[in-house]
Amino acid sequence: MQDGRSADVVVVGAGFAGLAAAHELAGAGARVAVAEARDRVGGRALTRLLPDGTQLDLGGQWVGPSQHEMRELIERHGVRTYPTPEHGRAVVDYEGALVDAMPAEVTALYGELDRLSREVPADAPWTHPQARCWDGRTLASWLDERTSDPAVARTVARQTAGALLSLDAADASLLETLFYLVSGDGLDVLAGFAGGAQSDRLVGGPQELAGRMAAALPAGTIHLGAPVRRIEHGAGGAVVHAGALRLEAARVIVAIPPVLAGRIEYDPPLPPRRDGLTQRMAAGYALKTHAVYREPFWRARGLSGISFSSAGVLTETVDNTPPGGPSAVLTSFVYGADAHRLRTRPPGERRRAVLERLAGLFGGEARDPVDYVEFDWCAEPWTRGCFSGHLAPGAWTGFGPALRAPVGVLHWAGTETATRWNGYFDGAVQSGRRAAAEVLAAG
Amino acid sequence: MQDGRSADVVVVGAGFAGLAAAHELAGAGARVAVAEARDRVGGRALTRLLPDGTQLDLGGQWVGPSQHEMRELIERHGVRTYPTPEHGRAVVDYEGALVDAMPAEVTALYGELDRLSREVPADAPWTHPQARCWDGRTLASWLDERTSDPAVARTVARQTAGALLSLDAADASLLETLFYLVSGDGLDVLAGFAGGAQSDRLVGGPQELAGRMAAALPAGTIHLGAPVRRIEHGAGGAVVHAGALRLEAARVIVAIPPVLAGRIEYDPPLPPRRDGLTQRMAAGYALKTHAVYREPFWRARGLSGISFSSAGVLTETVDNTPPGGPSAVLTSFVYGADAHRLRTRPPGERRRAVLERLAGLFGGEARDPVDYVEFDWCAEPWTRGCFSGHLAPGAWTGFGPALRAPVGVLHWAGTETATRWNGYFDGAVQSGRRAAAEVLAAG
C-alpha cells in the first residue's frame, strides 16, 4: 500500500450493511478492508441445510417488493427467489376462537397507528411536534388509553410491538413504534405476505446473497474471525484492532448493531451523546423455531400454515417449505416476554409446547416432526438480539440526533440507522450505501 | 500463591462497591485482587482541591443518617463529616414566581408516588401485582393521567425523575421511579438536607474515605490502571484480563456500572437475560457545575443557597462551601434533556447561562465568580453517566431477575444492584458486601 495504510476505509462487520458499504467504496475505487468477527459473512442472515437438503433460514429470510435495495442486489447477483407459500387460508385465533378476521376494534387501532405513523419523518423522528409526547409514552400506555379491552390491547401489542419490533408494548415507545411503521411502508406492508414484507424468499437464503456479494469484492477484502475490540481515531485517520490484525485507514464505517458498536473501546472515547445512544438501543427478543415434516400436511386441510394468535405460546407461524422441499417446514415466532417465558423452559418441554400448539392450529400430525430446530440469536455474542435494536422510551428525543452523525472519521451503518426498512436487510443495505457516500463525500 | 492463582477472588472496579467487597473478603481471610481501570480508587467519588484548598466534590458528595453502611465506614476509617450548610431559607421558583412552598397539587403527587413506592419490594420489584403495568408506563404518562397542568407535571418530573434519577420523565418507568423512591426511604428523605440524604458532607470528600479503605487493604491488593477487557470463566474459576495483567481466581465480583460490565468480553458469552439486562440499563445524565466566590454572599440575604426551580436552565442549587472555606461554592444541577441542552452550548455561553441564573436566584454577585468548574461524568469512559444506571421501561419485568443472579463464578455488585440506597455510595457498599457474602457462602 503506497501510503503505508492497510486500506482507505475499514468497514467493521460483514453483514448486509458492511457488504453494501464495501461494494460502494470498492466500486468508487477506494481500497477497503472489512473486519468480521464471525467465520462467515451475512450477519443476521444464516442458512442451514438439513441432511436432505431442505433449506432452513435461521435468521432474516424475506424480501418484499418495495425493498428496492435488496431487490436490486438480488437481481445483480443472480439469486433466485420464490413466493412465500400460501396454499390455503390463514388461521386467526382470537382469544381461543378461530375467526375470519380480527375484531373491528383491533383493526381500527391498527389504522390509527398507521395514520399517526405517516406523520413521522423517518429521517428525524425527534423533530415531529408531538415527538416529546410520543417518545415519553410506551405503546402499552397508548393502548390503555385507547381501549378498555385487554384482549384488544394484547392483540395489537403482539402484532406490532411483538411481530414487528420483537418487543413488548411495555418496551416500545409510541414514537419508536410509529417510526418503525413508517420506515416499512405501514402496517399492511410490514405484516403482509404476497405484496408485503414477507412476499418472497431467496433460494439459498439471504446468506447466499451475502456470500455472492462477498465473493464479488476484490480478493483479500474481507478478514473473517477478526472481531474489532478497539479503534483509535483522530483527524488523521484510524487504527482498527481486529483480532490479531491492525488495520490502518483514513476512515472507518462501523456496520454492526449499535449495542455491539457501544462495546468497542474507542480512543479517544466517544462523545456522551453517541455513547448514551448505544446505551439506550437494546436489541429485541424473538424466538424462531422450525418444525420439519415429511409433508406439508396442513395444505390438505386448506390451510396456508400462516397463523396469528392473540394469546398462547406462539404468536405467529408460517409455512417455510422451500419449493421442491424435500421436507416441509412450519416456522413459529414468539416475542418479548412470551419468548423469555418459553426460552426458560427446558428444551424438551419447550419443544412439546411448540408442537402441541402447532397441533392445535393445524392438526395432530404437527406433534411428530422429523426434525425440530431452534436458533437463539440473543445468545450469539456477535448479534445479541433478534430482530434488531430499538431506542428505549425517551431516547429518540434525547439521543436520536447521534444515530447517524459521524464522529470525526468514524461513520455509523447497520439496519438500526436506516430510514427505510429499518430493522430489515433492505435497511442494512441502505445504511451501508449511505455511510459509504458520506465517506466518499469526505474525500 | 500455593494454588498457582493470583487470588481467591478478583474484584473488578475499586469504587465503593469493589472496595467494600474486597474488605469483606480480606476480612474473611480470602486473597483478593482488585483491578481498577483508573489511576485512582473511588469511582464516582472525586474530590478536587482548588489552589486555596477549597474542596470541590465533583461526583457524589453527601451522606444521610439512614445510610448505615456509609456511616459505619466513615466511623471505622475516622473520616470527619460536617452538616451541609443551611444558613437561611431555600428559594423555590415555581413558574417564575418565588413561592414559600410548591402548589398543593405538586405535593399531593409526591405523596401519591411515595405511597405507591412503599408497596414495591425493593429486592424484587418485578413481583408486585402491578409490576407489568407500572413497568410498562413512563413517569411522563403517569403524570399526564394525574394532572392536566403541564407546570405541575414538569415540576414533579424535575424533582423525581430529574433530581433523583437524573433522567427525564420520558425515560423512567413508573416502576423504576417507585423502586428508587422506596430504596432511598421515600421522597422526603431522598430530597432532604438535614435528616435526609443530603444531610452531611465528608471532610476530604467521599474520595478520602475510598482512599482510606484502599489503604487498609493488604498491600498489593489493588491494581490501578488495569482496565478489565475480557473474563474467561467456567466451573473451575476465572481468568481476568486487566490491562497487561492476567489474574486467575476461583470467583470474580464485577463491581462496575452495568453498562460497562456489559462491555467486557466474556468467554463463554453471558446468557441472553444477563446480556439483555446490561443492554437496558443506561446511565442517567446530570450536569453539576461549581461557581466559586470569595464569600457566601447569599447568606447575608438570609438565603441558604438551596434552590429548586420548576423551569429554567438550573433545576437545583446548593451551598457547597466547606466549613472554613476558604472560598464559597454554589453548586448547580441540571438533568436529562435540560442537561443535554445546556451541554451542547459552547463553554463560555454555558457558563454565562449558569451564572445569570444564579444571579437571578441569589443576587448579582453570582455573575462574577473567582472560579467556575464543570466535570462531565458522561464523558468519562470508566463511568459514562451520572448519577447511576436505571432499567428502561419494561426492563424490570423482562430482565430484573438477572440483576444480581450470579452467572457461574461471576457475581455482580455496584450501586445499581442495591436494594437499599440504590444509586448512592451507601447502596454500592451494600452491594459489595452482598456479593462478597455470596462468594464466601459458595466456599
Side-chain angles (χ1 to χ4, degrees), chain A residues 132-133 135-141 144-145 167-172 227 229-230 259 262-265 269-273 275-276 278-285 337 340-341 343-344 376 378-385 392-395 397-399, chain B residues 132-133 135-141 144-145 167-172 227 229-230 259 262-265 269-273 275-276 278-285 337 340-341 343-344 376 378-385 392-395 397-399:
Chain A
R132 287 292 301 166
C133 172
D135 203 24
R137 69 187 54 205
T138 63
L139 183 65
S141 301
D144 280 352
E145 290 166 19
L167 297 177
D168 287 303
D171 311 318
R229 306 287 189 197
R230 179 177 162 85
V259 66
R263 293 176 179 181
I264 292 173
E265 182 192 3
L270 297 184
R273 210 165 208 178
D275 193 90
T278 64
Q279 292 185 34
R280 286 159 177 83
M281 206 170 200
Y285 196 108
H340 276 302
R341 253 189 301 276
R343 196 190 173 282
T344 48
D376 186 356
C378 302
E380 286 287 292
W382 305 120
T383 306
R384 277 302 187 191
T397 44
F399 298 83
Chain B
R132 287 293 300 167
C133 172
D135 203 24
R137 71 187 54 205
T138 62
L139 182 66
S141 301
D144 280 351
E145 289 166 19
L167 297 176
D168 287 303
D171 311 317
R229 304 289 189 198
R230 178 178 161 83
V259 65
R263 293 175 177 181
I264 292 173
E265 181 192 3
L270 297 184
R273 210 166 208 179
D275 193 88
T278 64
Q279 292 185 33
R280 285 160 176 83
M281 205 169 199
Y285 196 107
H340 276 303
R341 254 189 301 276
R343 197 190 172 284
T344 47
D376 186 355
C378 302
E380 286 288 292
W382 306 120
T383 305
R384 276 301 186 193
T397 44
F399 297 83

Side-chain angles (χ1 to χ4, degrees), chain B residues 52-289:
Chain B
D52 69 2
T54 301
Q55 168 190 328
L56 293 187
D57 290 340
L58 303 180
Q61 63 171 72
W62 283 295
V63 63
S66 69
Q67 296 180 343
H68 305 297
E69 315 261 357
M70 280 294 275
R71 286 280 169 193
E72 185 268 321
L73 284 174
I74 285 168
E75 192 163 321
R76 190 198 303 187
H77 293 282
V79 175
R80 284 178 301 135
T81 64
Y82 59 92
T84 301
E86 274 196 88
H87 305 282
R89 62 179 193 284
V91 174
V92 180
D93 177 333
Y94 185 72
E95 300 302 281
L98 300 187
V99 296
D100 288 334
M102 285 296 176
E105 196 182 354
V106 169
T107 50
L109 287 170
Y110 291 157
E112 192 176 350
L113 284 171
D114 247 349
R115 273 193 304 281
L116 290 175
S117 80
R118 284 194 289 274
E119 294 183 19
V120 174
D123 57 345
W126 58 89
T127 62
H128 188 277
Q130 291 292 310
R132 287 293 300 167
C133 172
W134 292 350
D135 203 24
R137 71 187 54 205
T138 62
L139 182 66
S141 301
W142 186 83
L143 287 169
D144 280 351
E145 289 166 19
R146 284 298 183 287
T147 177
S148 56
D149 184 338
V152 167
R154 178 162 21 82
T155 303
V156 176
R158 278 195 154 202
Q159 188 124 29
T160 55
L164 301 180
L165 285 75
S166 295
L167 297 176
D168 287 303
D171 311 317
S173 76
L174 180 59
L175 186 61
E176 170 67 10
T177 307
L178 298 176
F179 159 75
Y180 205 77
L181 289 186
V182 75
S183 116
D185 291 347
L187 195 51
D188 285 347
V189 173
L190 276 159
F193 286 88
Q198 284 69 238
S199 190
D200 298 291
R201 294 183 66 193
L202 282 66
V203 175
Q207 204 188 346
E208 174 69 23
L209 175 59
R212 294 191 189 193
M213 291 174 74
L217 288 168
T221 298
I222 299 180
H223 304 274
L224 297 177
V228 172
R229 304 289 189 198
R230 178 178 161 83
I231 301 178
E232 296 145 20
H233 60 107
V239 179
V240 176
H241 298 267
L245 296 174
R246 184 185 180 280
L247 301 168
E248 269 187 71
R251 290 186 176 263
V252 178
I253 295 176
V254 179
I256 57 178
V259 65
L260 299 185
R263 293 175 177 181
I264 292 173
E265 181 192 3
Y266 299 88
D267 182 13
L270 297 184
R273 210 166 208 179
R274 169 70 205 180
D275 193 88
L277 176 98
T278 64
Q279 292 185 33
R280 285 160 176 83
M281 205 169 199
Y285 196 107
L287 209 57
K288 184 181 182 183
T289 67

Side-chain angles (χ1 to χ4, degrees), chain A residues 176-198:
Chain A
E176 169 68 12
T177 307
L178 298 176
F179 158 75
Y180 205 77
L181 290 186
V182 75
S183 119
D185 290 347
L187 196 51
D188 285 348
V189 173
L190 275 159
F193 286 87
Q198 285 68 236

